[in-house]
Amino acid sequence: MGAYIDDRLASLEAYVPGEQPRDREYIKLNANESPFPPSPGVLRAVSAAAGGLNMYPDAACRELKAAIAARYGVQSANVMVEDGSDNILNLCFMGFCAHGVAYPAVSYGFYSVFSALYGLDALEIPMGPGLTVEPERWLNLGRAVVIANPNAQTGIALPVPDIERIVAANPDRLVVVDEAYVDFEAESALPLVSRYKNLLVVRTYSKSRSLAGARLGFAIGDEGLIADLERLKYSVNPYSVNSLSLAAGAAALSEDGYYMEKCAIIAEEREKLHAGLKEMGFKCTPSMANFVLAEPPEGAEAERLFLALRARGILVRYFGGGALSRCLRITIGSPEQNAALLAALPGAIEEVGRR
């Protein structure tokens, strides 16, 4: 730690992203990226937009907002675009959580980082049986609420009626539903936006639309809520979304069929991987995301299995201590990548068991 950082931030524990090593070729199943490339139209749109990089991007993101609004049946005034959904979440914690914030004890790691960054009164609500979110714990909290649905670590999805109970029971505070993984056969809370002014639904292009490297996200909510978020954005970085990402985002929506087909393949592969892991003795949560959370069979410690797979050129995610200390989070890859993982696991498990 350097000598000049503010005392209040000296002990800040930063978010730890999934590793992106360059020392060899890996099968990357550790960061919940898509195994499929962007659609051809996106690549053409990015190439065409590159010629205009001498100019600032459209700070208002008008073309992309209009495309998102048309895709989801809302008005452009109901849409905000940012350089990744993380930045939208950042603005929410920055500007809407002065009375405190609540989020699940097991969820996206950035929630606790943002809370610490802004010195917020954070309530980490305990998980229910099987690492579930129990709606009864979330009623009448008197503070902002942030829920990833499906959950960012377990993949478990709350039914929309349960989400509505939470939104309705906290009418004076913002409720953020982080739907980074919703396109993999989960149900969206978007239909509730027209009925609840305190609801913000946040989405990302990183998972279901193969654009993790473009850093692009959007939010849909009440017009007044969006206006407040935009005021914060313009106070920090009005040109946060670059021209190439804006072009990619609009083109991806014009080829939405390509991406929904890939999402269906990933969902199918998820069930195959779940079945294969279960046959080997793993215990998995009922994920509706593009990953599975798996507890290895008895005798195969999660950290050692993580290292054994890494030595075989396969990266999965191990989180260390806490509620997930006995688990690995495994991104759904291509059919070939998933087959390679299942083929490598018996040898890795045997090696770990011999130690």
Side-chain angles (χ1 to χ4, degrees):
M1 184 65 66
Y4 307 108
I5 192 169
D6 288 351
D7 290 342
R8 66 183 180 85
L9 299 177
S11 61
L12 182 68
E13 294 186 15
Y15 175 74
V16 180
E19 60 177 328
Q20 306 284 345
R22 298 291 188 267
D23 59 315
R24 58 176 284 187
E25 288 293 323
Y26 288 96
I27 294 176
K28 282 190 83 276
L29 305 177
N30 67 323
N32 295 348
E33 300 146 319
S34 173
F36 302 110
S39 61
V42 165
L43 299 180
R44 290 193 296 269
V46 170
S47 179
L53 286 177
N54 57 307
M55 307 295 288
Y56 283 111
D58 175 18
C61 307
R62 285 166 290 196
E63 181 183 353
L64 181 52
K65 280 186 179 181
I68 292 170
R71 168 65 175 81
Y72 294 102
V74 297
Q75 301 299 311
S76 290
N78 299 116
V79 180
M80 179 193 189
V81 176
E82 258 289 12
D83 61 334
S85 59
D86 288 341
N87 246 5
I88 299 173
L89 295 168
N90 178 31
L91 295 176
C92 290
F93 279 80
M94 178 195 299
F96 297 85
C97 298
H99 297 281
V101 61
Y103 46 83
V106 174
S107 193
Y108 187 28
F110 244 136
Y111 301 160
S112 60
V113 173
F114 288 143
S115 294
L117 181 64
Y118 297 115
L120 302 175
D121 174 17
L123 176 62
E124 295 189 357
I125 296 185
M127 311 303 289
L131 297 177
T132 56
V133 171
E134 297 180 304
E136 293 75 15
R137 295 175 180 262
W138 294 80
L139 308 181
N140 307 308
L141 294 177
R143 59 179 67 220
V145 169
V146 183
I147 294 181
N149 197 50
N151 184 282
Q153 307 298 358
T154 68
I156 299 172
L158 273 179
V160 168
D162 286 339
I163 293 291
E164 183 168 14
R165 285 181 65 198
I166 295 169
V167 176
N170 296 281
D172 299 324
R173 297 289 179 258
L174 176 67
V175 177
V176 177
V177 180
D178 181 356
E179 292 190 342
Y181 300 100
V182 77
D183 285 327
F184 303 102
E185 295 193 336
E187 186 180 6
S188 174
L190 277 174
L192 303 179
V193 166
S194 62
R195 304 204 292 273
Y196 296 95
K197 292 182 180 296
N198 64 322
L199 172 62
L200 186 75
V201 175
V202 179
R203 297 280 192 93
T204 178
Y205 275 76
S206 295
K207 315 300 181 184
S208 60
R209 288 188 171 86
S210 303
L211 287 173
R215 309 311 304 130
L216 189 62
F218 64 94
I220 295 178
D222 176 73
E223 182 176 345
L225 179 54
I226 295 297
D228 286 339
L229 280 167
E230 298 250 312
R231 186 148 50 97
L232 292 174
K233 170 187 171 178
Y234 275 72
S235 299
V236 177
N237 183 5
Y239 296 112
S240 59
V241 186
N242 69 71
S243 300
L244 302 186
S245 295
L246 287 173
L253 289 178
S254 71
E255 296 188 321
D256 208 41
Y258 170 90
Y259 294 101
M260 295 304 100
E261 177 185 339
K262 300 306 182 188
C263 287
I265 293 172
I266 289 170
E268 182 180 349
E269 285 293 310
R270 178 188 66 218
E271 299 312 308
K272 291 180 181 177
L273 181 59
H274 190 166
L277 292 171
K278 186 176 179 181
E279 285 184 7
M280 295 183 199
F282 284 81
K283 299 176 183 177
C284 302
T285 58
S287 174
M288 296 292 287
N290 69 336
F291 62 85
V292 294
L293 184 70
E295 181 181 333
E298 187 175 350
E301 186 200 343
E303 184 176 13
R304 289 183 175 179
L305 186 56
F306 157 75
L307 293 172
L309 288 171
R310 197 182 195 284
R312 289 163 168 77
I314 301 175
L315 297 179
V316 297
R317 192 77 187 265
Y318 174 66
F319 290 96
L324 302 180
S325 62
R326 300 174 62 184
C327 298
L328 299 176
R329 195 187 69 185
I330 305 170
T331 303
I332 308 303
S334 67
E336 296 77 16
Q337 291 173 324
N338 299 330
L341 170 68
L342 290 173
L345 272 170
I349 292 171
E350 182 182 0
E351 175 188 326
V352 168
R354 289 199 303 265
R355 294 182 184 178

